Amino acid sequence: MRARRPVLTVQDLRVTYGGAVQALRGISMEVPDGKVVAVLGSNGAGKSTLLRTVSGTLKLHRGRVESGSVRLDGTDLLARDAAQTVRSGVVQVPEGRRIFGRLTVEENLRAGAMGNRDRAARAAAQARVHELFPVLKERSSQRGGLLSGGEQQMLAIGRALMASPKLLLLDEPSLGLAPRVIGQIGEVIAEINRQGTSVLLVEQNATMALGVADLAYVLDVGEVSLSGEAGVLAGTDEVQRLYLGHDADHQRGRRATSGRTLSRWTA
Amino acid sequence: MNQFLSLLLNGVSLGALYALIALGFVIIFKSSEVVSFTHGSLLLLGAYSIARLSGPLGFWLAVLAGLLITAVAAFLVERLIINRLRGAAVISLAIVTIGVDIILLTELVRRIGSDILNVPHPWGGQSVRIGPVGLSQNRLIAILVAGALIAAFFAAFKYSSWGVAMRASAEDGETAALMGIRQGRVSAVSWVVAGVLAGVAALFLVGSPTPGVTPANYAVALRAFPAAILGGLDSTGGALVGGLLIGIAEALAAGYQDQLLFLGRGFSAIVPFIVMIAVLLVRPSGLFGTKELTRV
Ligand SMILES: Nc1ncnc2c1ncn2[C@@H]1O[C@H](COP(=O)(O)OP(=O)(O)O)[C@@H](O)[C@H]1O
Ligand SMILES: [Mg+2]
């Protein structure tokens, strides 16, 4: 594929929690400008840790960057706190949606726009969000906690878009949703990307993620075990076996099952 | 009946002032996760500053300066201490605020000495009659000003960016940070607002029927504390209801003290705490609160 200037560059990143747990053991990756990059991995692989490091919330979890770098268009993101990171154009949709349940839908969106100082940009973001998610406009005065799971995920994504990010980070948006809704989320991500936002998508649901991604990385206990174009990766035995639920054991012999056990996605 | 109505109205005026102070407690708790015990000395600082500056500056400028001083003091406590201890246990932070309170209080008591400083309110000590019911002019104006401030506060809390940011970060601090909300700033604004509210309460609390600025004013903030707790420490509506409840209960107990003599003289001063304990026994998280204090 054609090389593009990366919007996000992660180099040799090592992260620990409480000085003991090594969550990331030296990973390197890139998000090319305008692309969707998927990071696959089972529970505990370090996916959320990667996003926390990028978004500047690692400290809230008592995590620490031991070495490595995270750069956005060449500027060092590790030196920025969460609020500054949002202002530089990187916004994370957290795992489990985490919408403000006691705030109305409209207030949730207002909260998302707090890092967006430009009035015109805020208005444009609001229009884009209502167009992508008409349901949020209909429900604007309802409390967030009353929305269904799928609607909450849309609110969480819409809220993040209110900051007009150039890079959107998504932590397992399919978690706990019905297959039909997961399909919609996939389409929304593709549409957001078409409108010019780069996306870093963390998932256990490989089918959805590889469906929308251009590139993918497989994270395994804090290390990148595979990477490449999403279509190619989807065809490899390892991804088929571990993430797409196809049993490739008969081709490779029994040794494949004797190693580590990885939990499969359950969404 | 007339006596009852009089006491009720006096209770409402006192309660509105308690509510101002209690609202400050609540927004500080919501935005900084701190139970602030500095309010007593902040209130006294406001009263002292207004009284001392009234001579050189005249009443109105002194009020402005007094509010400014209280707000700046609250701001400095947040910036210099609370903000740096973010993430510490609620109980340690509470004890830190007690420390700050003692330092400030000691200095103020030393300055006030045994004097009673007077604030020369342009409205005198006379009382007004509304139908059969009497109320000091000072307390009547207090009701009007406190009412307007409380209404403005609730409007800001509901509609302003600060209000949205504050409610978002109170509900989920990490996610608020992910949205670019600067919690330090939200917290600093909350302390400033709380300082101003305490300053306004101080202005009226040192007027008729109270004799003037004495270290005893300090105890008033302590009685607003049960108001905040019984309303639910994280509920602004609860602070309002709690303040009024405590104010009315205290005024009634004081008014009927002859009938309540069997409970001992000065019973009215402890009524706020008795009401608080009674409410908490029935509802441990307060009338409208969502968090139990023991769980934080
Ligand atoms: N706050 C934390 N404190 C200590 N260890 C943590 C914390 N968060 C995650 N970990 C550990 O770091 C590793 C990676 O976790 P995480 O990034 O959440 O993985 P994933 O999102 O892929 O499920 C796991 O071993 C997990 O137990
Ligand atoms: Mg995770």
Side-chain angles (χ1 to χ4, degrees), chain B residues 8-100:
Chain B
L8 197 63
L9 194 59
N10 275 287
V12 168
S13 75
L14 184 61
L17 297 177
Y18 284 159
L20 287 183
I21 304 168
L23 280 174
F25 281 133
V26 168
I27 56 173
I28 284 177
F29 180 70
K30 282 179 87 85
S31 65
S32 331
E33 303 240 304
V34 178
V35 180
S36 165
F37 286 96
T38 49
H39 259 63
S41 51
L42 283 179
L43 188 109
L44 194 56
L45 175 67
Y48 172 80
S49 308
I50 295 172
R52 260 291 134 83
L53 295 172
S54 285
L57 297 180
F59 174 76
W60 295 105
L61 271 184
V63 168
L64 273 185
L67 294 183
L68 192 68
I69 288 171
T70 320
V72 167
F75 178 75
L76 290 179
V77 171
E78 198 280 339
R79 284 291 93 179
L80 299 181
I81 302 168
I82 303 301
N83 186 49
R84 285 157 201 246
L85 297 178
R86 191 171 290 277
V90 171
I91 188 71
S92 352
L93 285 171
I95 288 169
V96 166
T97 66
I98 293 177
V100 173

Side-chain angles (χ1 to χ4, degrees), chain A residues 17 21-23 41-50 52 61 95 171-172 204:
Chain A
Y17 287 105
V21 185
Q22 284 203 36
S42 47
N43 266 333
K47 306 181 298 297
S48 295
T49 303
L50 172 64
R52 282 174 195 151
H61 295 266
E95 185 176 325
D171 196 345
E172 299 201 37
Q204 292 195 51

Side-chain angles (χ1 to χ4, degrees), chain A residues 165-230:
Chain A
K166 58 182 165 201
L167 173 64
L168 184 66
L169 313 173
L170 294 156
D171 196 345
E172 299 201 37
S174 75
L175 197 70
L177 299 181
R180 186 182 53 81
V181 184
I182 296 176
Q184 288 173 356
I185 299 283
E187 285 164 27
V188 161
I189 295 170
E191 176 58 27
I192 290 169
N193 177 245
R194 255 195 303 280
Q195 295 173 357
T197 308
S198 310
V199 177
L200 178 56
L201 168 63
V202 154
E203 263 300 344
Q204 292 195 51
N205 185 326
T207 315
M208 187 271 261
L210 293 176
V212 293
D214 301 296
L215 300 170
Y217 292 80
V218 174
L219 214 53
D220 188 9
V221 205
E223 283 170 305
V224 174
S225 62
L226 282 173
S227 67
E229 291 193 30

